[in-house]
Amino acid sequence: MLTGGPGSYRDVISQESFLADYRKALSRRGRVTVVGSSNTDLVLTSATLPGPGQTVLAGPLRVHAGGKGANQAVAAVRAGARVSFVASIGRDAYGDQSVERLRREGIQLDAIHRPSNATSGVALILVDAVGQNMISVARGSNDALPASLVRRALGALVPPHVLVLQLEIPMPAVAAALTIAERAGIPAILNPAPARSLPPALLRKVHTLIPNETELAFLTGARSTSNAAIERAALTLARKGVGQVIVTCGARGVCWARNDLVLWTPALKSRVVDTTGAGDCFTGCFAAAMAAGLPTREAIEFAVRAAGISVERKGAQPSMPTLKEILARR
């Protein structure tokens, strides 16, 4: 087994060669299709997060565009990709605002389902003084995304292309998207959040699985969060047929496992304000880099840079950095 601790990846390629490679790849502006959720985030910030039965006082209510699918779509388009979004968004004020924001980002919205009998998804997000968060989601119209719409929307997918999925939408829609991607030879990236049981047959259709530590533990039963335990759990998933597993571990960095290879990429040194959406930023920017033709190592490095910028800002979609910002960060 090849392993590398934090700091090892930056020995593989220099910063300047990485930037040169990515700038060259940008001319291709890869295509990314995101199938997923769209929510409105209601955010409260307090000194500490409440425990069971506890009430804490918070600052002013902040309202942001969110939802894991929409977040990842915004991250990818700001990172330079051409992005299409497949989602179900309610016909209400929150939904109208979400659609308009996504359109202003330049995301293609031809496959947006607008049910009239379901309210738009809403996430209640609690953030503490050091940027850690707790999130509870009412999926609303996200539950109304039909597999038939996904099949129609993805029917014309052809390489080169990258598909991105999460688990805030019905499992039949996820399964339909993965099946189409497999048949078309399109690499599918799955962010298994929120954590749900995944059939082995479905996992085998995934090219890149991007869980965080909590989701990794749910999928594998791992009880420890040590680096060694994360590596073992990631390799376990990789050996079950997933193409590769990339575990986001917050300030500890990212663990990449494929076959018998394990490699760590350290996190960016950041002044953390709010971690909401950091994982979505990583996933969307990784997809953009992958669609542009960068190898996995360079794509991870690019996404780590982006996520490190996002945690220095408040909110999910508002925190997603632009390509210029990512390339300028050292």
Side-chain angles (χ1 to χ4, degrees):
M1 181 191 305
L2 247 174
T3 62
S8 63
Y9 175 62
R10 288 196 174 95
D11 296 332
V12 177
I13 57 171
S14 72
Q15 293 290 329
E16 291 308 315
S17 65
F18 160 72
L19 292 174
D21 286 347
Y22 196 76
R23 288 192 183 99
K24 182 178 180 181
L26 277 180
S27 62
R28 292 190 290 273
R29 288 203 70 204
R31 298 199 64 91
V32 174
T33 293
V34 180
V35 180
S37 58
S38 175
N39 295 324
T40 297
D41 293 344
L42 308 179
V43 186
L44 292 172
T45 301
S46 56
T48 60
L49 296 174
Q54 180 185 16
T55 298
V56 298
L57 296 179
L61 174 69
R62 292 180 285 119
V63 181
H64 296 303
K68 297 192 71 63
N71 293 346
Q72 292 169 13
V74 169
V77 77
R78 290 187 185 176
R82 290 175 291 175
V83 179
S84 300
F85 188 38
V86 182
S88 177
I89 302 176
R91 291 184 181 274
D92 51 22
Y94 282 151
D96 292 344
Q97 292 166 8
S98 296
V99 169
E100 181 55 30
R101 289 191 192 100
L102 294 168
R103 184 174 287 115
R104 288 200 302 266
E105 292 285 349
I107 297 169
Q108 185 175 334
L109 302 176
D110 295 347
I112 297 296
H113 179 49
R114 300 294 307 273
S116 58
N117 59 347
T119 58
S120 296
V122 173
L124 179 59
I125 303 174
L126 307 181
V127 183
D128 69 11
V130 295
Q132 298 301 306
N133 62 56
M134 297 171 61
I135 303 174
S136 184
V137 178
R139 292 197 295 264
S141 57
N142 294 302
D143 277 343
L145 180 61
S148 58
L149 173 70
V150 173
R151 293 189 190 96
R152 288 196 302 273
L154 303 186
L157 277 186
V158 293
H161 214 113
V162 172
L163 177 68
V164 179
L165 298 152
Q166 330 76 38
L167 299 179
E168 285 183 336
I169 56 176
M171 194 59 74
V174 174
L178 286 173
T179 298
I180 291 169
E182 182 184 46
R183 290 174 180 169
I186 301 294
I189 298 171
L190 175 62
N191 171 216
R196 297 164 67 178
S197 297
L198 295 169
L202 209 58
L203 277 174
R204 287 193 290 271
K205 298 179 187 294
V206 176
H207 177 278
T208 303
L209 188 73
I210 307 182
N212 63 20
E213 296 169 87
T214 301
E215 293 144 10
L216 181 71
F218 179 88
L219 292 171
T220 64
R223 297 182 180 180
S224 171
T225 57
S226 69
N227 283 15
I230 288 170
E231 291 175 10
R232 287 194 298 270
L235 283 171
T236 295
L237 281 176
R239 289 165 181 160
K240 287 184 176 180
V242 177
Q244 57 187 2
V245 180
I246 300 173
V247 188
T248 56
C249 302
R252 294 160 64 192
V254 172
C255 176
W256 171 38
R258 186 188 67 189
N259 299 325
D260 287 328
L261 168 70
V262 176
L263 191 65
W264 284 83
T265 300
L268 209 66
K269 291 183 179 179
S270 304
R271 184 179 61 84
V272 178
V273 172
D274 184 358
T275 58
T276 305
D280 295 333
C281 180
F282 179 92
T283 299
C285 290
F286 175 84
M290 187 176 174
L294 284 185
T296 298
R297 289 176 176 176
E298 284 88 339
I300 290 174
E301 172 73 10
F302 179 77
V304 164
R305 282 170 177 252
I309 297 171
S310 75
V311 300
E312 297 179 334
R313 304 168 176 176
K314 292 183 178 181
Q317 287 177 34
S319 73
M320 303 302 174
T322 64
L323 176 63
K324 183 177 179 180
E325 290 172 325
I326 299 168
L327 293 177
R329 185 61 181 262
R330 292 293 189 272

